Amino acid sequence: MPRQSSLPFAEPEANPDPAEQFRAAMDAALNFLTARGRSSAEVRQQLRKKGFGELGDRVEARLKELGLLDDLALARAVVEDAVTRRGAAPGSLAAQLDQRGIAPDVAQRAIDEAAATRPEGDEPSRAELDLALAIATKRLRVLHGDPVSIRRRLWGFLARRGYGADVVEEVCARLLGRSFN
């Protein structure tokens, strides 16, 4: 016969108190939020994983009411961090925000606010060009080889960060000259 545990929490209650369940779900959500900023979708997914699926909407609403869960503020922070710390082009961040469960309209709003985005076909914005020039100048210090290889590597470096061909070409032309176009 299996040994019975004498601990009071070893066996779950058959009908736990709804208020107690809500408190437990809130505690789980708050613990999840302490590590870093999370989106509403991430919190709901974590609550489902912990077995609080039916309480997810109530907990989410309460966290929003308390100002602890704000997808737009999170999106702004992610975009700002990516642009300032990693030198990413703002337009390339939509997929990253989508991966975090942030709605496309909220993500686009954060991207538009964080950087001077431009419609296709327009000239690159001054801020975007300045940022690309700054990170390219820094990268250029560690690139070695013949001029064609340096241009190719710099082009790839900027393109992987989401800069468009017009921005990359302008940066390469300013830093390396137009002789290899």
Side-chain angles (χ1 to χ4, degrees):
M1 180 169 174
R3 183 177 164 186
Q4 293 273 340
S5 173
S6 62
L7 298 174
F9 55 83
E11 293 183 29
E13 295 180 31
N15 290 322
D17 179 31
E20 193 59 38
Q21 276 188 321
F22 182 75
R23 273 193 292 277
M26 280 294 289
D27 285 344
L30 289 170
N31 284 337
F32 187 60
L33 287 170
T34 57
R36 66 180 172 104
R38 309 285 184 162
S39 70
S40 299
E42 289 173 318
V43 170
R44 278 193 310 272
Q45 182 181 10
Q46 179 70 9
L47 289 174
R48 275 194 304 273
K49 186 174 149 186
K50 296 280 186 179
F52 298 110
E54 69 282 351
L55 294 172
D57 291 338
R58 283 184 52 209
V59 170
E60 178 185 352
R62 181 66 178 144
L63 291 171
K64 284 182 178 181
E65 180 182 311
L66 294 171
L68 298 174
L69 194 60
D70 184 353
D71 282 355
L72 182 57
L74 174 65
R76 286 176 177 148
V78 168
V79 170
E80 185 65 28
D81 180 63
V83 169
T84 56
R85 291 185 62 211
R86 291 192 339 250
S92 69
L93 301 172
Q96 182 181 354
L97 294 172
D98 182 54
Q99 199 172 30
R100 301 239 355 222
I102 295 173
D105 60 322
V106 174
Q108 191 58 51
R109 183 173 168 197
I111 290 168
D112 290 343
E113 289 174 5
T117 57
R118 60 191 167 81
E120 286 300 315
D122 284 359
E123 290 297 315
S125 72
R126 178 78 183 161
E128 185 180 18
L129 200 52
D130 288 345
L131 183 60
L133 271 168
I135 65 168
T137 301
K138 191 174 182 181
R139 180 65 176 191
L140 196 56
R141 293 181 198 139
V142 297
L143 293 177
H144 303 286
D146 63 283
V148 174
S149 295
I150 291 173
R151 177 176 288 276
R152 186 186 73 243
R153 290 177 186 150
L154 189 60
W155 184 284
F157 174 78
L158 292 170
R160 284 188 300 276
R161 275 149 189 78
Y163 291 100
D166 53 345
V167 173
V168 174
E169 186 55 41
E170 181 63 28
V171 168
C172 286
R174 287 188 186 186
L175 294 178
L176 303 172
R178 298 191 186 272
S179 61
F180 297 102
N181 290 345

